[in-house]
PDB file of all heavy atoms in Angstrom:
ATOM      1  N   SER P1301     -28.802  74.828  13.122  1.00 89.00           N
ATOM      2  CA  SER P1301     -28.160  75.519  11.884  1.00 89.00           C
ATOM      3  C   SER P1301     -28.297  77.021  12.182  1.00 89.00           C
ATOM      4  O   SER P1301     -29.309  77.518  12.618  1.00 89.00           O
ATOM      5  CB  SER P1301     -28.922  75.155  10.631  1.00 89.00           C
ATOM      6  OG  SER P1301     -28.429  75.973   9.592  1.00 89.00           O
ATOM      7  N   ARG P1302     -27.147  77.672  11.842  1.00 91.00           N
ATOM      8  CA  ARG P1302     -27.207  79.100  11.956  1.00 91.00           C
ATOM      9  C   ARG P1302     -27.106  79.780  10.581  1.00 91.00           C
ATOM     10  O   ARG P1302     -26.993  81.050  10.470  1.00 91.00           O
ATOM     11  CB  ARG P1302     -25.887  79.572  12.742  1.00 91.00           C
ATOM     12  CG  ARG P1302     -26.010  79.140  14.218  1.00 91.00           C
ATOM     13  CD  ARG P1302     -24.853  79.594  15.004  1.00 91.00           C
ATOM     14  NE  ARG P1302     -24.936  79.257  16.378  1.00 91.00           N
ATOM     15  CZ  ARG P1302     -23.916  79.575  17.329  1.00 91.00           C
ATOM     16  NH1 ARG P1302     -22.898  80.291  16.975  1.00 91.00           N
ATOM     17  NH2 ARG P1302     -24.163  79.194  18.500  1.00 91.00           N
ATOM     18  N   LYS P1303     -27.336  79.007   9.473  1.00 94.00           N
ATOM     19  CA  LYS P1303     -27.338  79.572   8.225  1.00 94.00           C
ATOM     20  C   LYS P1303     -28.661  80.060   7.897  1.00 94.00           C
ATOM     21  O   LYS P1303     -29.696  79.719   8.447  1.00 94.00           O
ATOM     22  CB  LYS P1303     -26.854  78.453   7.217  1.00 94.00           C
ATOM     23  CG  LYS P1303     -25.376  78.085   7.379  1.00 94.00           C
ATOM     24  CD  LYS P1303     -24.986  77.118   6.198  1.00 94.00           C
ATOM     25  CE  LYS P1303     -23.457  76.919   6.202  1.00 94.00           C
ATOM     26  NZ  LYS P1303     -22.942  76.154   5.066  1.00 94.00           N
ATOM     27  N   GLY P1304     -28.703  80.935   6.841  1.00 95.00           N
ATOM     28  CA  GLY P1304     -29.978  81.514   6.323  1.00 95.00           C
ATOM     29  C   GLY P1304     -30.752  80.290   5.576  1.00 95.00           C
ATOM     30  O   GLY P1304     -30.082  79.560   4.930  1.00 95.00           O
ATOM     31  N   ILE P1305     -32.043  80.424   5.733  1.00 95.00           N
ATOM     32  CA  ILE P1305     -32.867  79.339   5.066  1.00 95.00           C
ATOM     33  C   ILE P1305     -33.630  80.013   3.900  1.00 95.00           C
ATOM     34  O   ILE P1305     -34.313  81.035   4.028  1.00 95.00           O
ATOM     35  CB  ILE P1305     -33.813  78.797   6.073  1.00 95.00           C
ATOM     36  CG1 ILE P1305     -33.236  78.130   7.276  1.00 95.00           C
ATOM     37  CG2 ILE P1305     -34.816  77.757   5.339  1.00 95.00           C
ATOM     38  CD1 ILE P1305     -32.375  76.928   6.871  1.00 95.00           C
ATOM     39  N   HIS P1306     -33.489  79.361   2.672  1.00 96.00           N
ATOM     40  CA  HIS P1306     -34.167  79.751   1.526  1.00 96.00           C
ATOM     41  C   HIS P1306     -35.057  78.605   1.091  1.00 96.00           C
ATOM     42  O   HIS P1306     -34.552  77.493   0.816  1.00 96.00           O
ATOM     43  CB  HIS P1306     -33.222  80.169   0.381  1.00 96.00           C
ATOM     44  CG  HIS P1306     -32.653  81.597   0.434  1.00 96.00           C
ATOM     45  ND1 HIS P1306     -31.963  82.110  -0.591  1.00 96.00           N
ATOM     46  CD2 HIS P1306     -32.597  82.403   1.511  1.00 96.00           C
ATOM     47  CE1 HIS P1306     -31.612  83.309  -0.165  1.00 96.00           C
ATOM     48  NE2 HIS P1306     -31.985  83.459   1.008  1.00 96.00           N
ATOM     49  N   ILE P1307     -36.382  78.752   1.223  1.00 97.00           N
ATOM     50  CA  ILE P1307     -37.279  77.833   0.667  1.00 97.00           C
ATOM     51  C   ILE P1307     -37.309  77.825  -0.823  1.00 97.00           C
ATOM     52  O   ILE P1307     -37.702  78.854  -1.409  1.00 97.00           O
ATOM     53  CB  ILE P1307     -38.670  77.946   1.358  1.00 97.00           C
ATOM     54  CG1 ILE P1307     -38.530  77.771   2.874  1.00 97.00           C
ATOM     55  CG2 ILE P1307     -39.633  76.934   0.700  1.00 97.00           C
ATOM     56  CD1 ILE P1307     -39.808  78.015   3.629  1.00 97.00           C
ATOM     57  N   THR P1308     -37.034  76.621  -1.467  1.00 97.00           N
ATOM     58  CA  THR P1308     -36.985  76.523  -2.902  1.00 97.00           C
ATOM     59  C   THR P1308     -38.099  75.604  -3.331  1.00 97.00           C
ATOM     60  O   THR P1308     -38.102  74.438  -2.970  1.00 97.00           O
ATOM     61  CB  THR P1308     -35.676  76.061  -3.377  1.00 97.00           C
ATOM     62  OG1 THR P1308     -34.600  76.959  -2.884  1.00 97.00           O
ATOM     63  CG2 THR P1308     -35.553  76.006  -4.885  1.00 97.00           C
ATOM     64  N   MET P1309     -38.990  76.114  -4.124  1.00 97.00           N
ATOM     65  CA  MET P1309     -40.038  75.235  -4.773  1.00 97.00           C
ATOM     66  C   MET P1309     -39.618  74.789  -6.117  1.00 97.00           C
ATOM     67  O   MET P1309     -39.381  75.537  -6.933  1.00 97.00           O
ATOM     68  CB  MET P1309     -41.330  76.063  -4.791  1.00 97.00           C
ATOM     69  CG  MET P1309     -41.880  76.620  -3.548  1.00 97.00           C
ATOM     70  SD  MET P1309     -42.403  75.337  -2.346  1.00 97.00           S
ATOM     71  CE  MET P1309     -43.631  74.388  -3.316  1.00 97.00           C
ATOM     72  N   ILE P1310     -39.675  73.470  -6.221  1.00 97.00           N
ATOM     73  CA  ILE P1310     -39.345  72.785  -7.480  1.00 97.00           C
ATOM     74  C   ILE P1310     -40.716  72.220  -7.980  1.00 97.00           C
ATOM     75  O   ILE P1310     -41.216  71.312  -7.355  1.00 97.00           O
ATOM     76  CB  ILE P1310     -38.331  71.624  -7.284  1.00 97.00           C
ATOM     77  CG1 ILE P1310     -37.050  72.232  -6.660  1.00 97.00           C
ATOM     78  CG2 ILE P1310     -38.045  71.057  -8.809  1.00 97.00           C
ATOM     79  CD1 ILE P1310     -35.968  71.159  -6.452  1.00 97.00           C
ATOM     80  N   THR P1311     -41.166  72.789  -9.031  1.00 97.00           N
ATOM     81  CA  THR P1311     -42.522  72.418  -9.575  1.00 97.00           C
ATOM     82  C   THR P1311     -42.466  72.125 -11.151  1.00 97.00           C
ATOM     83  O   THR P1311     -41.415  72.519 -11.738  1.00 97.00           O
ATOM     84  CB  THR P1311     -43.584  73.472  -9.330  1.00 97.00           C
ATOM     85  OG1 THR P1311     -43.101  74.687 -10.061  1.00 97.00           O
ATOM     86  CG2 THR P1311     -43.678  73.751  -7.773  1.00 97.00           C
ATOM     87  N   THR P1312     -43.509  71.650 -11.633  1.00 97.00           N
ATOM     88  CA  THR P1312     -43.519  71.481 -13.097  1.00 97.00           C
ATOM     89  C   THR P1312     -43.660  72.818 -13.885  1.00 97.00           C
ATOM     90  O   THR P1312     -42.972  73.145 -14.805  1.00 97.00           O
ATOM     91  CB  THR P1312     -44.623  70.490 -13.475  1.00 97.00           C
ATOM     92  OG1 THR P1312     -45.793  70.805 -12.674  1.00 97.00           O
ATOM     93  CG2 THR P1312     -44.243  69.072 -13.222  1.00 97.00           C
ATOM     94  N   PHE P1313     -44.694  73.665 -13.387  1.00 97.00           N
ATOM     95  CA  PHE P1313     -45.007  74.844 -14.162  1.00 97.00           C
ATOM     96  C   PHE P1313     -45.045  76.013 -13.200  1.00 97.00           C
ATOM     97  O   PHE P1313     -45.907  76.990 -13.507  1.00 97.00           O
ATOM     98  CB  PHE P1313     -46.348  74.651 -14.932  1.00 97.00           C
ATOM     99  CG  PHE P1313     -46.343  73.504 -15.887  1.00 97.00           C
ATOM    100  CD1 PHE P1313     -46.949  72.305 -15.735  1.00 97.00           C
ATOM    101  CD2 PHE P1313     -45.513  73.727 -17.119  1.00 97.00           C
ATOM    102  CE1 PHE P1313     -46.824  71.287 -16.614  1.00 97.00           C
ATOM    103  CE2 PHE P1313     -45.448  72.664 -18.003  1.00 97.00           C
ATOM    104  CZ  PHE P1313     -46.085  71.508 -17.800  1.00 97.00           C
ATOM    105  N   GLY P1314     -44.391  76.041 -12.171  1.00 96.00           N
ATOM    106  CA  GLY P1314     -44.326  77.121 -11.299  1.00 96.00           C
ATOM    107  C   GLY P1314     -45.536  77.163 -10.253  1.00 96.00           C
ATOM    108  O   GLY P1314     -46.389  76.327 -10.335  1.00 96.00           O
ATOM    109  N   LEU P1315     -45.448  78.111  -9.336  1.00 95.00           N
ATOM    110  CA  LEU P1315     -46.485  78.363  -8.362  1.00 95.00           C
ATOM    111  C   LEU P1315     -47.534  79.337  -8.775  1.00 95.00           C
ATOM    112  O   LEU P1315     -47.215  80.316  -9.411  1.00 95.00           O
ATOM    113  CB  LEU P1315     -45.974  78.935  -7.100  1.00 95.00           C
ATOM    114  CG  LEU P1315     -45.191  77.886  -6.033  1.00 95.00           C
ATOM    115  CD1 LEU P1315     -44.671  78.600  -4.922  1.00 95.00           C
ATOM    116  CD2 LEU P1315     -46.061  76.754  -5.703  1.00 95.00           C
ATOM    117  N   LYS P1316     -48.789  78.901  -8.603  1.00 95.00           N
ATOM    118  CA  LYS P1316     -49.860  79.825  -8.831  1.00 95.00           C
ATOM    119  C   LYS P1316     -49.936  80.863  -7.636  1.00 95.00           C
ATOM    120  O   LYS P1316     -49.843  80.560  -6.562  1.00 95.00           O
ATOM    121  CB  LYS P1316     -51.242  79.126  -8.945  1.00 95.00           C
ATOM    122  CG  LYS P1316     -52.395  79.956  -9.223  1.00 95.00           C
ATOM    123  CD  LYS P1316     -53.671  79.153  -9.391  1.00 95.00           C
ATOM    124  CE  LYS P1316     -54.848  80.026  -9.745  1.00 95.00           C
ATOM    125  NZ  LYS P1316     -56.150  79.157  -9.889  1.00 95.00           N
ATOM    126  N   GLU P1317     -50.019  82.139  -8.071  1.00 95.00           N
ATOM    127  CA  GLU P1317     -49.964  83.206  -7.074  1.00 95.00           C
ATOM    128  C   GLU P1317     -51.244  83.112  -6.216  1.00 95.00           C
ATOM    129  O   GLU P1317     -52.399  83.168  -6.694  1.00 95.00           O
ATOM    130  CB  GLU P1317     -49.854  84.666  -7.684  1.00 95.00           C
ATOM    131  CG  GLU P1317     -48.499  84.862  -8.090  1.00 95.00           C
ATOM    132  CD  GLU P1317     -48.295  86.352  -8.369  1.00 95.00           C
ATOM    133  OE1 GLU P1317     -48.947  87.177  -7.778  1.00 95.00           O
ATOM    134  OE2 GLU P1317     -47.555  86.713  -9.315  1.00 95.00           O
ATOM    135  N   ASN P1318     -51.025  83.012  -4.826  1.00 95.00           N
ATOM    136  CA  ASN P1318     -52.138  83.031  -3.927  1.00 95.00           C
ATOM    137  C   ASN P1318     -51.493  83.517  -2.565  1.00 95.00           C
ATOM    138  O   ASN P1318     -50.422  83.983  -2.457  1.00 95.00           O
ATOM    139  CB  ASN P1318     -52.852  81.701  -3.765  1.00 95.00           C
ATOM    140  CG  ASN P1318     -51.958  80.538  -3.253  1.00 95.00           C
ATOM    141  OD1 ASN P1318     -50.899  80.829  -2.772  1.00 95.00           O
ATOM    142  ND2 ASN P1318     -52.377  79.379  -3.589  1.00 95.00           N
ATOM    143  N   ALA P1319     -52.284  83.346  -1.523  1.00 95.00           N
ATOM    144  CA  ALA P1319     -51.859  83.846  -0.207  1.00 95.00           C
ATOM    145  C   ALA P1319     -50.598  83.164   0.409  1.00 95.00           C
ATOM    146  O   ALA P1319     -50.028  83.642   1.329  1.00 95.00           O
ATOM    147  CB  ALA P1319     -53.000  83.741   0.823  1.00 95.00           C
ATOM    148  N   TYR P1320     -50.297  82.045  -0.224  1.00 95.00           N
ATOM    149  CA  TYR P1320     -49.188  81.125   0.324  1.00 95.00           C
ATOM    150  C   TYR P1320     -48.032  81.052  -0.625  1.00 95.00           C
ATOM    151  O   TYR P1320     -46.945  80.486  -0.150  1.00 95.00           O
ATOM    152  CB  TYR P1320     -49.787  79.779   0.689  1.00 95.00           C
ATOM    153  CG  TYR P1320     -51.009  79.878   1.503  1.00 95.00           C
ATOM    154  CD1 TYR P1320     -52.284  79.552   0.907  1.00 95.00           C
ATOM    155  CD2 TYR P1320     -50.993  80.224   2.804  1.00 95.00           C
ATOM    156  CE1 TYR P1320     -53.378  79.620   1.671  1.00 95.00           C
ATOM    157  CE2 TYR P1320     -52.178  80.365   3.564  1.00 95.00           C
ATOM    158  CZ  TYR P1320     -53.396  79.973   3.017  1.00 95.00           C
ATOM    159  OH  TYR P1320     -54.557  80.144   3.712  1.00 95.00           O
ATOM    160  N   SER P1321     -48.049  81.523  -1.738  1.00 95.00           N
ATOM    161  CA  SER P1321     -47.009  81.332  -2.814  1.00 95.00           C
ATOM    162  C   SER P1321     -45.759  82.070  -2.434  1.00 95.00           C
ATOM    163  O   SER P1321     -44.705  81.792  -2.852  1.00 95.00           O
ATOM    164  CB  SER P1321     -47.567  81.721  -4.167  1.00 95.00           C
ATOM    165  OG  SER P1321     -47.923  83.092  -4.177  1.00 95.00           O
ATOM    166  N   SER P1322     -45.898  83.187  -1.669  1.00 94.00           N
ATOM    167  CA  SER P1322     -44.727  83.963  -1.325  1.00 94.00           C
ATOM    168  C   SER P1322     -43.757  83.284  -0.319  1.00 94.00           C
ATOM    169  O   SER P1322     -42.685  83.831   0.034  1.00 94.00           O
ATOM    170  CB  SER P1322     -45.217  85.355  -0.593  1.00 94.00           C
ATOM    171  OG  SER P1322     -45.887  85.004   0.544  1.00 94.00           O
ATOM    172  N   ILE P1323     -44.020  82.088   0.161  1.00 95.00           N
ATOM    173  CA  ILE P1323     -43.082  81.340   0.913  1.00 95.00           C
ATOM    174  C   ILE P1323     -41.857  81.018   0.251  1.00 95.00           C
ATOM    175  O   ILE P1323     -40.878  80.753   0.821  1.00 95.00           O
ATOM    176  CB  ILE P1323     -43.861  79.971   1.362  1.00 95.00           C
ATOM    177  CG1 ILE P1323     -43.050  79.302   2.576  1.00 95.00           C
ATOM    178  CG2 ILE P1323     -43.919  79.022   0.275  1.00 95.00           C
ATOM    179  CD1 ILE P1323     -43.722  78.102   3.131  1.00 95.00           C
ATOM    180  N   ALA P1324     -41.929  80.906  -1.097  1.00 95.00           N
ATOM    181  CA  ALA P1324     -40.636  80.565  -1.851  1.00 95.00           C
ATOM    182  C   ALA P1324     -39.713  81.696  -2.157  1.00 95.00           C
ATOM    183  O   ALA P1324     -40.159  82.730  -2.733  1.00 95.00           O
ATOM    184  CB  ALA P1324     -41.116  79.910  -3.124  1.00 95.00           C
ATOM    185  N   GLN P1325     -38.434  81.515  -1.706  1.00 94.00           N
ATOM    186  CA  GLN P1325     -37.468  82.551  -2.136  1.00 94.00           C
ATOM    187  C   GLN P1325     -36.907  82.198  -3.559  1.00 94.00           C
ATOM    188  O   GLN P1325     -36.428  83.028  -4.202  1.00 94.00           O
ATOM    189  CB  GLN P1325     -36.345  82.595  -1.139  1.00 94.00           C
ATOM    190  CG  GLN P1325     -36.602  83.376   0.170  1.00 94.00           C
ATOM    191  CD  GLN P1325     -37.275  82.477   1.136  1.00 94.00           C
ATOM    192  OE1 GLN P1325     -37.235  81.285   1.125  1.00 94.00           O
ATOM    193  NE2 GLN P1325     -37.950  83.176   2.167  1.00 94.00           N
ATOM    194  N   ASN P1326     -36.919  80.988  -3.826  1.00 94.00           N
ATOM    195  CA  ASN P1326     -36.415  80.442  -5.231  1.00 94.00           C
ATOM    196  C   ASN P1326     -37.356  79.459  -5.827  1.00 94.00           C
ATOM    197  O   ASN P1326     -38.144  78.944  -5.170  1.00 94.00           O
ATOM    198  CB  ASN P1326     -35.043  79.761  -4.961  1.00 94.00           C
ATOM    199  CG  ASN P1326     -34.045  80.633  -4.216  1.00 94.00           C
ATOM    200  OD1 ASN P1326     -33.918  80.344  -2.934  1.00 94.00           O
ATOM    201  ND2 ASN P1326     -33.423  81.515  -4.829  1.00 94.00           N
ATOM    202  N   SER P1327     -37.249  79.430  -7.182  1.00 95.00           N
ATOM    203  CA  SER P1327     -38.181  78.589  -7.861  1.00 95.00           C
ATOM    204  C   SER P1327     -37.455  77.909  -9.007  1.00 95.00           C
ATOM    205  O   SER P1327     -36.514  78.450  -9.717  1.00 95.00           O
ATOM    206  CB  SER P1327     -39.350  79.414  -8.382  1.00 95.00           C
ATOM    207  OG  SER P1327     -40.194  78.520  -9.291  1.00 95.00           O
ATOM    208  N   VAL P1328     -37.742  76.517  -9.209  1.00 97.00           N
ATOM    209  CA  VAL P1328     -37.172  75.794 -10.259  1.00 97.00           C
ATOM    210  C   VAL P1328     -38.402  75.098 -10.944  1.00 97.00           C
ATOM    211  O   VAL P1328     -39.252  74.630 -10.242  1.00 97.00           O
ATOM    212  CB  VAL P1328     -36.146  74.801  -9.756  1.00 97.00           C
ATOM    213  CG1 VAL P1328     -35.748  73.826 -10.926  1.00 97.00           C
ATOM    214  CG2 VAL P1328     -34.960  75.352  -9.081  1.00 97.00           C
ATOM    215  N   VAL P1329     -38.442  75.123 -12.190  1.00 98.00           N
ATOM    216  CA  VAL P1329     -39.566  74.534 -13.021  1.00 98.00           C
ATOM    217  C   VAL P1329     -39.020  73.421 -13.909  1.00 98.00           C
ATOM    218  O   VAL P1329     -37.833  73.215 -14.141  1.00 98.00           O
ATOM    219  CB  VAL P1329     -40.285  75.648 -13.766  1.00 98.00           C
ATOM    220  CG1 VAL P1329     -40.966  76.584 -12.853  1.00 98.00           C
ATOM    221  CG2 VAL P1329     -39.443  76.289 -14.829  1.00 98.00           C
ATOM    222  N   LEU P1330     -39.984  72.788 -14.553  1.00 98.00           N
ATOM    223  CA  LEU P1330     -39.695  71.573 -15.235  1.00 98.00           C
ATOM    224  C   LEU P1330     -38.634  71.948 -16.486  1.00 98.00           C
ATOM    225  O   LEU P1330     -37.690  71.159 -16.694  1.00 98.00           O
ATOM    226  CB  LEU P1330     -40.983  71.077 -16.033  1.00 98.00           C
ATOM    227  CG  LEU P1330     -40.777  69.857 -16.880  1.00 98.00           C
ATOM    228  CD1 LEU P1330     -40.114  68.636 -16.227  1.00 98.00           C
ATOM    229  CD2 LEU P1330     -42.148  69.366 -17.421  1.00 98.00           C
ATOM    230  N   ASP P1331     -38.830  73.066 -17.209  1.00 98.00           N
ATOM    231  CA  ASP P1331     -37.963  73.479 -18.252  1.00 98.00           C
ATOM    232  C   ASP P1331     -36.517  73.496 -17.735  1.00 98.00           C
ATOM    233  O   ASP P1331     -35.535  73.286 -18.414  1.00 98.00           O
ATOM    234  CB  ASP P1331     -38.314  74.758 -18.798  1.00 98.00           C
ATOM    235  CG  ASP P1331     -39.520  74.703 -19.805  1.00 98.00           C
ATOM    236  OD1 ASP P1331     -39.888  73.502 -20.173  1.00 98.00           O
ATOM    237  OD2 ASP P1331     -40.128  75.692 -20.105  1.00 98.00           O
ATOM    238  N   ASP P1332     -36.333  73.899 -16.465  1.00 98.00           N
ATOM    239  CA  ASP P1332     -34.913  73.973 -15.874  1.00 98.00           C
ATOM    240  C   ASP P1332     -34.307  72.586 -15.842  1.00 98.00           C
ATOM    241  O   ASP P1332     -33.014  72.478 -15.955  1.00 98.00           O
ATOM    242  CB  ASP P1332     -34.922  74.546 -14.547  1.00 98.00           C
ATOM    243  CG  ASP P1332     -35.358  76.025 -14.553  1.00 98.00           C
ATOM    244  OD1 ASP P1332     -35.101  76.795 -15.429  1.00 98.00           O
ATOM    245  OD2 ASP P1332     -36.141  76.450 -13.559  1.00 98.00           O
ATOM    246  N   LEU P1333     -35.078  71.503 -15.624  1.00 98.00           N
ATOM    247  CA  LEU P1333     -34.484  70.193 -15.564  1.00 98.00           C
ATOM    248  C   LEU P1333     -34.077  69.697 -16.922  1.00 98.00           C
ATOM    249  O   LEU P1333     -33.328  68.638 -16.946  1.00 98.00           O
ATOM    250  CB  LEU P1333     -35.605  69.236 -14.922  1.00 98.00           C
ATOM    251  CG  LEU P1333     -36.067  69.644 -13.544  1.00 98.00           C
ATOM    252  CD1 LEU P1333     -36.996  68.500 -13.123  1.00 98.00           C
ATOM    253  CD2 LEU P1333     -34.945  69.748 -12.553  1.00 98.00           C
ATOM    254  N   PHE P1334     -34.433  70.331 -17.989  1.00 97.00           N
ATOM    255  CA  PHE P1334     -33.994  70.067 -19.379  1.00 97.00           C
ATOM    256  C   PHE P1334     -32.816  70.834 -19.748  1.00 97.00           C
ATOM    257  O   PHE P1334     -32.435  70.853 -20.986  1.00 97.00           O
ATOM    258  CB  PHE P1334     -35.171  70.222 -20.299  1.00 97.00           C
ATOM    259  CG  PHE P1334     -36.185  69.184 -20.253  1.00 97.00           C
ATOM    260  CD1 PHE P1334     -37.165  69.240 -19.278  1.00 97.00           C
ATOM    261  CD2 PHE P1334     -36.317  68.186 -21.229  1.00 97.00           C
ATOM    262  CE1 PHE P1334     -38.183  68.267 -19.355  1.00 97.00           C
ATOM    263  CE2 PHE P1334     -37.305  67.237 -21.227  1.00 97.00           C
ATOM    264  CZ  PHE P1334     -38.285  67.231 -20.250  1.00 97.00           C
TER     265      PHE P1334
END
C-alpha cells in the first residue's frame, strides 16, 4: 500500500494519556456508536 496510514482507536471511553496513547491519529468512543 502506498496510501497514508491513520491508526484509529475505537474504545468505550477513549484512551488514557500515557507514553503510548499518541499512536492514534483518530479516536471513536462509545457515544459515537449511538
Side-chain angles (χ1 to χ4, degrees):
S1301 173
R1302 295 184 177 180
K1303 291 190 173 184
I1305 300 297
H1306 280 191
I1307 295 174
T1308 301
M1309 297 300 300
I1310 305 176
T1311 61
T1312 43
F1313 300 107
L1315 281 180
K1316 184 177 181 179
E1317 283 196 31
N1318 62 19
Y1320 310 107
S1321 58
S1322 60
I1323 193 174
Q1325 280 88 18
N1326 308 99
S1327 177
V1328 176
V1329 296
L1330 179 58
D1331 283 346
D1332 294 322
L1333 302 183
F1334 283 79

